[in-house]
Amino acid sequence: MSDSIASLTLSSVVLPLETPVSDAKVLTGRQRPLTEVVLLFVEVTTADGLQGTGFSYSKRAGGPSQYAHLREIAEVALGQDPSDIAKIYDSLLWAGASVGRSGVATQAIAALDVALYDLKARRAGLPLAKLLGAHRDSCRVYNTSGGFLQASVAEIMEKATASLEAGIGGIKIKVGQPDWRTDLERVAAVREHLGATPMMVDANQQWDRARARRMCRELEAFDLVWIEEPLDAWDATGHADLSRTFDTPIATGEMLTSVPEHMALLDAGYRGIVQPDAPRIGGITPFLKFATLAAHAGLALAPHYAMEIHLHLAAAYPTEPWVEHFEWLNPLFEERVDIRDGRMWLPERPGLGFTLSPRMRELTVETAHFGAPRR
């Protein structure tokens, strides 16, 4: 007899950052510095006593909306077989059909979707990557958190050195200064400091097409692994044109919130690096759908943020990916990722391989419980 979902617990968590960070969107006046991350956690328990945990997140806005939407529709999952992940996903989509199938609507479902995959792998006694069918036991890893624009070049160099000494394999820094010459000066200084270490830059969507072409041409000299989001995230044609014009790969996709939005890149003839984000695209279910299509198109993969989830998904991608290292979420989990020799290694623990910390409970601002009473 099949198992069933007996209860769900939703938690809204507000995680403050030690230091506010700024990227190009702040310097252009479009956003305020980032001071906190709001997360939606879902804990699933089945009638047989199995458990799984997943999360989604939002920066600057959307966290309370994700929580509110899932709170409205979560009961639909009760009583369903937790192995029927695709069926449950569709039932949640239909329960909230009036708000669409992208953005907050699917980012809310993502937390539950991730939890069901975590549960399924835990039940099998396997790390999630092994359940999906891993191609490797580790992935190349790069650090972003030390390269934001509020940091001086000296601070970036100091943090980059510390990251490399801690086993990180590549360094990404932000660009998109109001004066493009400042960008080139900063990139040149950091490149000289790093030597042959793999290096990436990220403009966070703040160039128009003319400026992006000029900057990509100037940046060719620095032997970068990629130039990220040179254009508006939804400018699929522009990104595709840049990816076919320059030798340095173009990377984009982190802001897109559905498979169709990602597919617009492929339809436009994009030849760069795709950066889907499982919580943003709507969960592991849609992430895997797009990853299959991206692999078929021969595209490289570098998932955005949420390394606790993306390490597993990257390990299951056919070609060698990069995983982004952010230590911001560390306080929420008991375990730490294993980083050495420029790579992030899969945990041997089942599921995602992480358990929630007491600090996560302390940072919880709202909870909702559905189904059987909590034990």
Side-chain angles (χ1 to χ4, degrees), residues 145-302:
S145 59
F148 281 85
L149 291 179
Q150 85 283 347
S152 67
V153 171
E155 290 172 327
I156 292 173
M157 290 179 179
E158 181 181 355
K159 292 178 181 178
T161 297
S163 292
L164 296 176
E165 290 176 349
I168 298 290
I171 300 296
K172 187 173 82 177
I173 69 169
K174 301 291 187 175
V175 292
Q177 299 274 354
D179 185 346
W180 58 271
R181 298 172 186 84
T182 304
D183 280 331
L184 296 180
E185 291 170 0
R186 286 165 66 94
V187 171
V190 176
R191 167 48 82 201
E192 182 178 4
H193 177 73
L194 293 177
T197 297
M199 178 179 171
M200 307 83 164
V201 301
D202 183 357
N204 287 109
Q205 311 178 68
Q206 296 309 293
W207 295 329
D208 60 23
R209 288 187 178 183
R211 175 53 58 198
R213 289 179 68 87
R214 293 186 178 102
M215 290 302 293
C216 286
R217 188 173 294 113
E218 294 285 350
L219 291 167
E220 291 270 61
F222 297 105
D223 189 28
L224 300 173
V225 179
W226 68 67
I227 300 168
E228 184 171 335
E229 284 194 326
L231 299 168
D232 184 277
W234 284 268
D235 186 357
T237 299
H239 278 108
D241 288 346
L242 292 175
S243 75
R244 295 193 300 264
T245 300
F246 296 100
D247 292 334
T248 303
I250 304 300
T252 193
E254 68 176 63
M255 298 301 299
L256 305 181
T257 64
S258 69
V259 173
E261 289 177 13
H262 283 79
M263 283 304 299
L265 289 167
L266 276 65
D267 293 341
Y270 182 69
R271 296 293 180 266
I273 299 170
V274 289
Q275 298 183 298
D277 180 319
R280 278 187 176 160
I281 198 176
I284 292 175
T285 294
F287 184 104
L288 294 176
K289 288 181 181 179
F290 175 67
T292 298
L293 298 168
H296 179 72
L299 301 182
L301 178 79

